[in-house]
Structures are given as C-alpha cells and as structure tokens.
Amino acid sequence: MLENALNLKSVKKDYHSFKLNDISFNVPRGAIVGLIGENGAGKSTIIRTILGLTRKDGGTIELFGKKDSHIGFIDQNCIGVVFDSNNFPENYTPRTLSRTLSAIYPEWDNEQYTHYMDRLSIPLNRKIRKLSKGMKMKLAIAAALSHKAKLLILDEATSGLDPIVREEILDMLLEYVIDDNNSVLISSHITGDLERIADYIVFIHKGKVIFNKSKDELRYKYGILRCGEKQFKALDKKDIVSYRKLSCEWQVLVSDRELAQKKYPKAVVDAAGIDDIMLLYVKGEQL
C-alpha cells in the first residue's frame, strides 16, 4: 500500500504581491494533517493548487502515487472537497442533490448518503437555502463521504460553527480515518479542533512552511520558558526556537521543555499549545 495519499514537493506560486515558496509536505494514508497559519499565509492557495484550481509555477504534486501529468478524472473523483461556504445550488434539496451527484460520481453511494442525512438530522426535502450554516456544512461533508473519496480536503470548513456542530464534524473525520486507506487535509484557524483530531501539523507563514511536525511532538515536547532579561542573556542560543520580550518578562519557545527545565531550574517552563507556538513564531524573533 502507498505510504502517502498526497505529496507536495517544492511547490511554488508567484502572484507578484505574494509567493508560495518551496512548499513541501505530505498527507500519510490513514492520517489527519492540519494546515495552520494566519490569514493570508497561503493555506487556501495551497489547497486550490492541489485541486488544480490554481496553476503552480514550480514543484510537483503527487496524488495517490501519481505525479501531476498522470493525475486523471478517476483520481480527482477520489478527493472529497469541503470549503467554508456552500457550493451547492441553493434551490436544490438534499434529495435533488443526491440525484445530481450520482450522475457525476461513479462510486456514489446513495444508501450511505441517506444514512448521513438521517444521522445528522438533515431534512431531505428542504431547500438548501433554508438550511442553517451548520447543516449546509454537514451536508457538504456527508456528500464528500458518500462517493468513496480516499482523501478529504477541508478549507476552514468548521469556522463559524457552534461547538456542537463542530464536535459532530470532528467525530465524522475521526471515524473516516479508521480506514487506513483514507486521509484528511484540513486547514483551520481553530487550533483546538486540530489538537483534538490531527496527527500532523503543517504551519504556513508568509508562503513558507515553518514546520511540519507530529501533533504529539508539539504538544508534549515544546514549551515556553519565561524569564527575566539577565537569565535570557545567559540562555544557550541553541535552545531558543524563537522569543519575544514583554513588559515584565521574556518568553522563549523551546523544542524540549523537560530539558529546558533541567538546564534552567530557576526559569518557569510551561507547556505550549499550538496557538502559543504559532504566536511566538509569528510575533517573536529568531536568533
């Protein structure tokens, strides 16, 4: 079995005012990969490039082991896509949508789709325009899961949803990757969601990959060392990932908090969440 569902190698895109610069990461089979970064970092451009909606200016994209030029209609049909807004005709009902999608996707499973409609309490005969934002998002994910997609790509799909709906969607994604043939790439500003479900985190900043690490490494290894100016100046530069000075303390991102605590016993070393790590990379400085 192939190790990765998706590989990006040195992918570039130049918009003159913005560039994707040598974007490289992969989405392993059976894994959920979270794509994070501030607004304008390049997350949506990466997703559009993967989907062929934006033409890249360099690098290669491999989908299910096939390089760009060999990716065909059947391969594209194995991708389920969910954006942050409704992309279905507003005057359709979920039942009408099913008939349309069955004509598009050879592997469409109406029984599975109907199961999701029932499970998610989505009325089959109500116009899509009359569905709430949460219901529209659940409908989009149900549709993506009902045509035997092997890779789900979600672009800010949980933004603006209430916690209960987000919880339902996250549970669906976790169930989906129980099958090791299935994978998920999800971009989100809600890092708490990614801390719950993601196996790997790819951090994009100003069109570059800042890090591509397992979630467990970020959660259980990284830390924030807090100290005064005198102690900061005495720190070994090799221990500093990034840092910033606040009014009453220095905050230092370290990649091994247990080692840092042993090495600097007079400093306070706290666990770092993904938000903390991203903030110190964006707002902090590197030596």
Side-chain angles (χ1 to χ4, degrees):
M1 185 172 70
L2 290 170
E3 182 180 352
N4 297 314
L6 178 70
N7 281 309
L8 277 71
K9 298 179 182 178
S10 301
V11 171
K12 300 177 183 179
K13 180 64 185 178
D14 188 351
Y15 282 118
H16 302 297
S17 60
F18 173 79
K19 292 182 179 180
L20 285 184
N21 192 7
D22 288 329
I23 300 296
S24 298
F25 67 87
N26 57 61
V27 178
R29 294 271 192 174
I32 298 177
V33 175
L35 196 60
I36 65 171
E38 72 277 23
N39 287 332
K43 303 187 301 298
S44 291
T45 302
I46 290 170
I47 287 175
R48 289 180 63 83
T49 303
I50 292 169
L51 297 174
L53 302 175
T54 295
R55 178 175 291 183
K56 59 184 173 55
D57 295 322
T60 60
I61 296 174
E62 294 182 5
L63 181 64
F64 309 123
K66 296 182 180 180
K67 291 187 177 180
D68 309 81
S69 58
H70 295 99
I71 296 173
F73 177 76
I74 293 176
D75 304 304
Q76 291 286 356
N77 271 352
C78 289
I79 301 177
V81 184
V82 181
F83 292 106
D84 64 347
S85 59
N86 176 53
N87 287 285
F88 298 137
E90 291 278 319
N91 64 325
Y92 276 30
T93 65
R95 191 184 300 280
T96 307
L97 180 65
S98 176
R99 289 197 292 266
T100 300
L101 294 179
S102 67
I104 296 172
Y105 295 107
E107 297 293 322
W108 180 256
D109 187 338
N110 191 63
E111 185 177 340
Q112 178 81 333
Y113 177 78
T114 303
H115 163 75
Y116 279 123
M117 294 301 99
D118 183 59
R119 171 182 167 179
L120 300 171
S121 301
I122 301 173
L124 280 167
N125 294 312
R126 184 179 296 177
K127 297 286 188 181
I128 291 175
R129 67 171 176 268
K130 293 184 178 181
L131 299 179
S132 67
K133 181 176 181 180
M135 277 194 176
K136 288 178 181 177
M137 196 56 60
K138 290 192 287 186
L139 173 62
I141 292 175
L145 292 172
S146 297
H147 64 82
K148 301 294 192 295
K150 296 300 181 185
L151 171 63
L152 288 186
I153 298 180
L154 300 93
D155 190 7
E156 298 295 344
T158 59
S159 64
L161 302 180
D162 67 65
I164 294 173
V165 173
R166 293 209 326 269
E167 187 81 4
E168 284 183 287
I169 290 173
L170 298 182
D171 285 342
M172 289 171 69
L173 297 180
L174 288 171
E175 290 173 13
Y176 173 73
V177 295
I178 290 175
D179 184 339
D180 288 340
N181 287 312
N182 298 335
S183 310
V184 176
L185 174 64
I186 173 171
S187 77
S188 179
H189 284 103
I190 307 173
T191 56
D193 287 354
L194 300 182
E195 286 184 339
R196 180 174 171 232
I197 67 168
D199 299 290
Y200 302 93
I201 300 292
V202 180
F203 175 31
I204 308 296
H205 179 53
K206 294 182 178 179
K208 296 181 180 180
V209 174
I210 302 300
F211 62 68
N212 175 11
K213 296 182 180 293
S214 76
K215 177 191 66 181
D216 287 348
E217 180 180 353
L218 295 172
R219 289 182 65 190
Y220 302 120
K221 294 282 286 182
Y222 275 64
I224 298 175
L225 183 149
R226 307 175 191 276
C227 62
E229 182 173 2
K230 182 178 180 180
Q231 190 167 20
F232 173 77
K233 290 182 177 179
L235 296 178
D236 187 335
K237 291 182 179 179
K238 292 184 294 184
D239 296 329
I240 299 173
V241 177
S242 64
Y243 69 93
R244 67 173 180 164
K245 184 181 184 302
L246 301 180
S247 58
C248 57
E249 69 175 10
W250 292 76
Q251 292 184 349
V252 181
L253 183 65
V254 296
S255 59
D256 189 332
R257 67 174 181 262
E258 289 186 8
L259 178 62
Q261 190 68 82
K262 291 177 182 177
K263 197 169 180 179
Y264 309 107
K266 294 183 179 180
V268 174
V269 185
D270 297 324
I274 294 174
D275 268 343
D276 301 317
I277 296 170
M278 188 167 69
L279 181 63
L280 267 166
Y281 265 108
V282 173
K283 297 292 186 180
E285 300 178 56
Q286 284 81 42
L287 294 175

